[in-house]
Amino acid sequence: MIANTLTVILILAGLVFFAAGTAGLLRFPDVYSRLHALTKADNVGLGLVILGLMLQAGGPADILKLFLIWVLVLAAGTTAAHMVAQRTWTHGEFESDR
Amino acid sequence: MTRVAKHRDATSRGGLNRARARWRRAAWTVLAAAVLWWILAGLEALLEPLALLAVLLAGAASLVLPTGRPLGVRFRAIPGLIGYFLRASFLGGIDIARRALDPKLPIAPDFIEYRADLPHGPPLTLFMAVLSLLPGTLSVRLEGRLLTVHVLDRHSQPEMALRELEKRIHAAFEDPRRQSEETQ
């Protein structure tokens, strides 16, 4: 019961961060600022969702699997953000922003 | 050049040390592969003959493949680094969410240049990866050791946060340059 309540709270909090990240993606003025919103907000949002799901996990393997997902998404997210930023720096803004 | 020096150093110390390091690495690989298989497929699947074969082959591969440059991680500094990262990246998420949802959109984006004193390789890569998750900084470009960093708010003194992160990563890795300087 307590675990279920905590799960709902954590996942709802995570969704707020996802929504905020998306708001930033739409509202921020340029590619770099939008990358900030995506990587940082999604990292915390996914972290909270994963924490919530961990409380429902069937065993240690499931908990570790969820943790692994978070770490991999984190690594992929920050690397992708850097690569998009670097590409924008060398090649200029993307077409839709011109 | 340092790699050559290091290699010569290792051979002069005798093959015994190196062989032991190689076996230790193989044992860690077997353990990591087994844990990964257990996490992804469960305990029953790990005990299948094919899975055990794959795990042992992973260990064998690390025995056969050439060893890279030793990473030199200081394990004592790792928990501090992880704790710092969790705290700072959580603050980063809160910071960006607040700015994105604020009707006034309080951002003042700008680029800064930052000269990192970390050695190339894993320490510098980790530095660039983590700084993109700290509040208000995003790694854009690396030339030599000069980083171009995009900051979301130029009034937030991002250099201090970067220096703090650099200090912590510095503490977590042994610096190969320092060792080569001592031998010179």
Side-chain angles (χ1 to χ4, degrees):
Chain A
M1 178 63 194
I2 296 172
N4 284 348
T5 314
L6 269 177
T7 297
V8 171
I9 291 172
L10 283 169
I11 291 182
L12 282 178
L15 292 182
V16 170
F17 278 98
F18 274 115
T22 310
L25 182 68
L26 294 171
R27 295 184 67 207
F28 284 166
D30 56 61
V31 173
Y32 304 106
S33 305
R34 287 173 176 163
L35 284 172
H36 281 278
L38 265 191
T39 47
K40 294 187 235 300
D42 284 11
N43 158 34
V44 175
L46 183 67
L48 290 171
V49 169
I50 292 248
L51 267 181
L53 290 177
M54 275 177 175
L55 296 171
Q56 307 291 324
D62 281 352
I63 292 176
L64 287 174
K65 193 192 283 185
L66 286 166
F67 178 71
L68 195 64
I69 289 170
W70 183 61
V71 171
L72 288 176
V73 170
L74 218 64
T78 181
T79 310
H82 167 64
M83 292 181 80
V84 172
Q86 193 180 38
R87 198 264 178 207
T88 309
W89 179 271
T90 50
H91 288 75
E93 298 262 310
F94 292 85
E95 278 176 31
S96 60
D97 288 330
R98 268 180 208 155
Chain B
M1 214 167 80
T2 52
R3 189 176 299 187
V4 175
K6 197 152 212 111
H7 186 71
R8 208 185 298 136
D9 192 39
T11 43
S12 67
R13 242 186 281 142
L16 191 71
N17 228 346
R18 221 160 29 132
R20 201 187 298 160
R22 204 169 259 267
W23 278 100
R24 200 184 305 139
R25 193 173 67 132
W28 278 113
T29 308
V30 166
L31 187 69
V35 168
L36 208 56
W37 204 292
W38 168 61
I39 289 173
L40 294 178
L43 196 59
E44 268 173 52
L46 176 61
L47 298 175
E48 297 274 327
L50 208 61
L52 291 176
L53 182 70
V55 166
L56 287 177
L57 279 178
S62 79
L63 278 180
V64 174
L65 292 171
T67 49
R69 194 196 296 212
L71 202 54
V73 178
R74 292 203 189 97
F75 287 101
R76 223 176 300 162
I78 296 295
L81 183 61
I82 291 176
Y84 169 75
F85 167 73
L86 288 178
R87 199 174 61 237
S89 64
F90 187 66
L91 290 178
I94 290 178
D95 176 66
I96 198 78
R98 186 179 58 78
R99 289 176 197 275
L101 295 175
D102 192 314
K104 285 190 299 242
L105 208 64
I107 59 171
D110 201 358
F111 294 98
I112 61 166
E113 302 215 309
Y114 182 82
R115 189 169 292 280
D117 190 37
L118 292 164
H120 279 275
L124 197 54
T125 307
L126 184 68
F127 178 67
M128 292 183 68
V130 172
L131 90 81
S132 291
L133 293 168
L134 295 189
T137 49
L138 174 77
S139 63
V140 175
R141 190 172 157 83
L142 177 71
E143 290 164 286
R145 287 211 174 77
L146 191 66
L147 264 107
T148 306
V149 179
H150 184 260
V151 295
L152 205 53
D153 185 353
R154 70 177 89 90
H155 313 299
S156 64
Q157 294 182 318
E159 282 94 350
M160 275 169 59
L162 295 184
R163 212 156 290 287
E164 164 85 15
L165 172 65
E166 185 178 354
K167 204 177 74 195
R168 284 178 184 271
I169 291 183
H170 222 293
F173 289 95
E174 280 157 25
D175 194 338
R177 285 175 301 165
R178 198 160 297 159
Q179 286 168 6
S180 63
E181 274 164 25
E182 278 166 16
T183 53
Q184 273 166 11

